[in-house]
Amino acid sequence: MTGVRRDTEPYPDSVLRARIDAEGSIPFDDYMAEAVAAYYGRGDVFGLAGDFTTAPEISQMFGEILGLWCAVAWQLMDGPGRVALVELGPGRGTLMSDVLRAAGMLPPFRQSASVHLVERSRPLRAIQARTLAESGVAPRWHDDIAELPRDVPLIVIANEFFDALPVRQCQRAIHGWHERHVTVNEDGAYAFTPGPEIDAADVPEHARAAGPGSIVETCPAAGAIARDLGARLARQGGVMLAVDYGYAQSAAGDSVQALKRHKFHPVLVDPGCADITAHVDFQALAEAGEAGGAKASGPVDQGAFLNALGIVQRADVLAQNAAPQQAAEVRKALHRLIDPAEMGTLFKVLALADPALPPLPGFEGSGST
Ligand code: SAH
């Protein structure tokens, strides 16, 4: 989001150190942007052999349910003859491939859809191309949502995309607030340091009364995308579904973490070697979408959403048609996706939509935040 584009460089160390040498320290969101771009620039980082496993990599059921949701949304949009089916941050392309297979159940929807992927990592684009070639689909890629078509309605999905966008951290000192910066200490290691003082008016209102030491995060990149897409949905028609882990209501706290080989890794060690993420502030995302002109619904818990869309019935069908060992795996995957002790409540689902549309499946009766 900050114009970083060294997609194949494994470690952004030299770039970060040169900037810190020149400037003394840099804002944390710049550090995170460099580290995340370098990390995904390495290619396939997902699954058991990688660093973390996402819902579509757990089971095909996740993408099939999202595909069903897209098909119903398309019907509620009065079945436009042309629609752009968009995914933000498609990883291996697994989710889009499962969505398209489910969309095939409603051929007029499948035939109306052109596929657009917003992805900056060139190695991941190559993997997505291979995955989708198997489904007979030739997607178009974009670096930025600004390049998405402007003349057709949009159906946008995003799973674990917003959590990868860089967050700005503000920390409360005894007197006033400071932006949290990153520097290099005498031992040559990266370290947090207070940056310039910031005006209390620039701190989110919900956190202004927080005590000394408190940290509050904002994600300007997520806000800009939700606002821009919100405006597009209101103008061009369409819907967006964002699935991620995070807070239903804005809250203070340092939520930044890094994962490497399925274990926590220190955020400031070896930037680009681990997956750095932050919790998504769904209230802020919903408000940004509404500021753009869309209607927000939810967030609802992932478990409740998948249940409402019939994932248990889908698991029954898959299990009935499978060998005993595979049937047990289907049950285990279902449990991981919907159980509150697993991904069921930590992960949430938010919809943004053209305000002219009726309530969307999975959100009936759930107002906006
Ligand atoms: N949705 C996938 C992968 C999630 S990982 C899944 O559920 O398995 C995050 C994805 O977002 C990766 O594909 C990464 O390359 C992409 N990404 C991260 N930051 C991005 C940015 N600023 N612009 C576009 N894509 C980005």
Side-chain angles (χ1 to χ4, degrees), residues 1 40 46 54 56 87 89-91 119-120 124 159-161 165:
M1 290 291 129
Y40 286 110
F46 307 102
T54 58
E87 184 174 358
E119 174 62 71
R120 292 188 176 178
L124 283 180
N159 184 62
E160 292 210 45
F161 168 74
L165 300 180

Side-chain angles (χ1 to χ4, degrees), residues 91-169:
R92 279 178 176 163
T94 310
L95 173 57
M96 182 54 88
S97 147
D98 293 336
V99 162
L100 288 167
R101 195 176 53 257
M105 310 263 286
L106 189 64
F109 166 49
R110 179 66 196 82
Q111 282 147 20
S112 73
S114 58
V115 177
H116 296 260
L117 305 177
V118 178
E119 174 62 71
R120 292 188 176 178
S121 158
R122 295 310 185 261
L124 283 180
R125 284 187 181 192
I127 295 172
Q128 292 153 16
R130 282 203 293 279
T131 307
L132 290 174
E134 286 164 20
S135 328
V137 174
R140 256 166 285 167
W141 281 273
H142 310 281
D143 279 326
D144 198 281
I145 57 158
E147 299 160 17
L148 292 171
R150 293 182 183 273
D151 57 346
V152 291
L154 306 173
I155 297 181
V156 185
I157 54 173
N159 184 62
E160 292 210 45
F161 168 74
F162 285 102
D163 67 352
L165 300 180
V167 289
R168 194 175 165 224
Q169 290 192 325

Side-chain angles (χ1 to χ4, degrees), residues 30-45:
D30 285 0
Y31 173 92
M32 181 167 168
E34 287 279 355
V36 169
Y39 177 72
Y40 286 110
R42 295 166 37 178
D44 194 358
V45 291

Side-chain angles (χ1 to χ4, degrees), residues 184-245:
V184 171
N185 67 20
E186 312 88 75
D187 308 329
Y190 292 103
F192 285 112
T193 187
E197 186 159 355
I198 50 179
D199 201 331
D202 292 334
V203 174
E205 211 176 330
H206 69 86
R208 275 183 213 153
S214 304
I215 289 176
V216 58
E217 295 170 351
T218 55
C219 189
I225 291 174
R227 202 170 41 249
D228 288 359
L229 278 177
R232 296 270 211 123
L233 299 175
R235 200 169 52 236
Q236 293 170 225
V239 294
M240 173 175 111
L241 195 70
V243 187
D244 231 307
Y245 70 111

